[in-house]
Amino acid sequence: MARGFVTLRPVRDINLELGGLLLDMATLAGDSQRGWGYKRAAKAVLRLDEPITPLVHANTLKAVPGIGPTTDRIARELVHDGASAFVERAVADAGKAEAIAAQRGLRRNFLSMAAVTEILQQRVAPSRARYRGDFQMHSVWSDGSETLESIADACLALGHSCAGITDHSYGLPIAGGMSMAQVAEQHKAIDALNEKHQRRFRMFKGIEANIRADGTIDMEEHELRQFEFVVASPHSLLRKAFDQTDRMVGAVSQPGVAILGHPQGRRFNNRPGVTADWDRVFAVAAARQVAIEIDGSWDRQDVHYELAVRALEHGCIFALDSDAHSHPELEFSAIAIAHARLAGIPQDRIINYWSNARLLKWSRGAWDR
Ligand SMILES: [Zn+2]
């Protein structure tokens, strides 16, 4: 690890543990009133910006909206005994030990909001204040809910000086993917916007393209060349257990690809995403300077800090993005920063801290490396 950078290690994310136990209870309760109550409580715990331990000691956890007496009981067991006998008994009584163990695997290396908040309070790199802009976000041109003008204003309000718009490509019609005619229209709108903001703010023309099963990108080269940078992401085969190393190596090998978006395609408590020999993928990505994305989207957190450490060891560069589909989601970039801090990624290895000129030189270089 580079000198001068502090690598943080998570001690214990007790909010993540409690939220997880509540989701286990929700699974046991099934599609019922109780099931929904547990889900609501889990959400409240995972989004709480302070650890539950002092609240349990002060007997104030129940005051948090969405949290009832059962959650309070599970939290007490967790704080005092390190585990919840109540939940483990319920799992055993239901005969669901195997299913619950599998579900627990789908929550590994996520961070609760309390953990993110604690990590962001540390005075270590990468900086939150110097973060220049975000390189994965969606607008009304595909499945996002905000206009380009309003996105520029929201990014400026966050103190950003650039942004990469990455609406979905025509290969993903379910997400409102843009036709190439729409892309031409969008690019005119981005030019006008950059003209208006002059040097204050620069919007980059990106695209989120799909990685096919064989590792190729589902757009033609002359189409990809119309963008200032290309994010390639897996949007299919995310629940399959078979090895997809060749697919992911293919994606980072393809000329023009600048960023590997949400590399695993995992979802919190829901699906595991792609299985691959990530060391092989990262080695190729490092050689071609394809940035590995840490997608900070709340239920993605992809790649997570442990995988990021491995990518770093291979010499990769990174993109810390929100994958926002609305203004409040722009804050997800902070979750990506938290993972990068845990992984000890030096700021200079992260494209979000680079100058506009350096960014363009690098993304254009993706065609020649
Ligand atoms: Zn995506």
Side-chain angles (χ1 to χ4, degrees):
M1 222 59 68
R3 282 213 329 264
F5 291 94
V6 182
T7 304
L8 300 172
R9 281 280 159 247
V11 185
R12 183 183 177 196
D13 190 345
I14 195 164
N15 290 33
L16 182 70
E17 289 177 34
L18 177 59
L21 291 175
L22 295 168
L23 290 169
D24 291 344
M25 293 302 290
T27 299
L28 299 181
D31 207 359
S32 66
Q33 194 76 20
R34 255 180 357 109
W36 285 108
Y38 279 124
K39 276 190 192 162
R40 198 165 45 240
K43 209 171 188 178
V45 168
L46 293 168
R47 298 196 173 176
L48 200 60
D49 61 3
E50 56 185 323
I52 58 155
T53 307
L55 301 180
V56 166
H57 289 315
N59 201 20
T60 54
L61 184 62
K62 272 183 289 185
V64 175
I67 289 179
T70 312
T71 297
D72 190 56
R73 174 182 177 177
I74 297 169
R76 275 175 197 288
E77 291 182 339
L78 199 54
V79 167
H80 294 128
D81 313 328
S84 169
F86 176 80
V87 175
E88 299 316 322
R89 205 177 314 118
V91 172
D93 289 350
K96 293 246 172 104
E98 213 170 305
I100 294 295
Q103 186 174 288
R104 287 177 179 173
L106 304 176
R107 303 195 292 258
R108 221 167 277 142
N109 298 324
F110 280 85
L111 297 172
S112 72
M113 217 47 226
V116 169
T117 303
E118 196 182 317
I119 294 163
L120 292 175
Q121 282 162 357
Q122 312 281 330
R123 292 169 59 89
V124 294
S127 156
R128 198 171 177 195
R130 292 195 185 152
Y131 179 90
R132 293 192 63 241
D134 194 327
F135 286 84
Q136 190 182 172
M137 62 180 72
H138 302 262
S139 74
V140 289
W141 288 86
S142 65
D143 59 348
S145 52
E146 317 283 357
T147 64
L148 298 178
E149 289 79 6
S150 146
I151 287 173
D153 292 341
C155 291
L156 276 162
L158 287 171
H160 299 178
S161 48
C162 65
I165 294 286
T166 55
D167 279 303
H168 290 284
S169 63
Y170 56 77
L172 205 61
I174 196 169
M178 295 185 290
S179 67
M180 290 312 291
Q182 287 172 313
V183 167
E185 288 299 305
Q186 188 195 42
H187 285 183
K188 274 189 225 157
I190 293 177
D191 288 337
L193 193 137
N194 284 334
E195 183 75 24
K196 183 182 127 194
H197 285 287
Q198 294 290 333
R199 270 191 282 273
R200 234 173 112 234
F201 190 79
R202 171 67 154 86
M203 192 170 271
F204 291 100
K205 298 164 185 164
I207 186 81
E208 187 183 16
N210 310 298
I211 303 171
R212 291 193 190 103
D214 66 359
T216 57
I217 307 304
D218 68 345
M219 294 177 75
E220 303 295 326
E221 180 181 330
H222 73 272
E223 295 169 345
L224 291 172
R225 280 189 184 272
Q226 295 176 34
F227 299 92
E228 289 177 312
F229 71 103
V230 174
V231 180
S233 311
H235 290 115
S236 57
L237 304 171
L238 304 176
R239 293 178 188 275
K240 306 287 183 198
F242 57 80
D243 180 90
Q244 300 189 49
T245 307
D246 290 345
R247 179 190 189 195
M248 303 315 286
V249 166
V252 294
S253 304
Q254 174 149 335
V257 170
I259 299 175
L260 179 61
H262 51 71
Q264 301 171 92
R266 69 178 189 156
R267 289 272 192 187
F268 182 70
N269 203 47
N270 176 298
R271 68 177 187 223
V274 166
T275 298
D277 176 353
W278 292 106
D279 290 300
R280 268 186 60 204
V281 179
F282 295 151
V284 177
R288 295 204 58 251
Q289 292 180 55
V290 172
I292 299 301
E293 182 176 65
I294 300 183
D295 186 314
S297 183
W298 167 253
D299 61 350
R300 288 189 182 276
Q301 304 193 31
D302 178 7
V303 298
H304 56 73
Y305 54 91
E306 273 188 18
L307 268 182
V309 167
R310 278 160 64 186
L312 184 61
E313 284 166 358
H314 283 282
C316 286
I317 56 172
F318 296 84
L320 311 185
D321 300 330
S322 68
D323 201 352
H325 288 68
S326 64
H327 292 337
E329 292 183 359
L330 287 168
E331 303 276 2
F332 288 159
S333 61
I335 299 177
I337 291 173
H339 279 269
R341 285 185 176 190
L342 284 178
I345 303 173
Q347 203 162 283
D348 193 54
R349 293 262 199 109
I350 304 172
I351 66 158
N352 313 75
Y353 297 89
W354 293 358
S355 69
N356 291 350
R358 185 177 176 190
L359 278 162
L360 279 173
K361 191 167 175 238
W362 159 75
S363 65
R364 284 193 194 115
W367 288 101
D368 309 315
R369 284 189 286 267

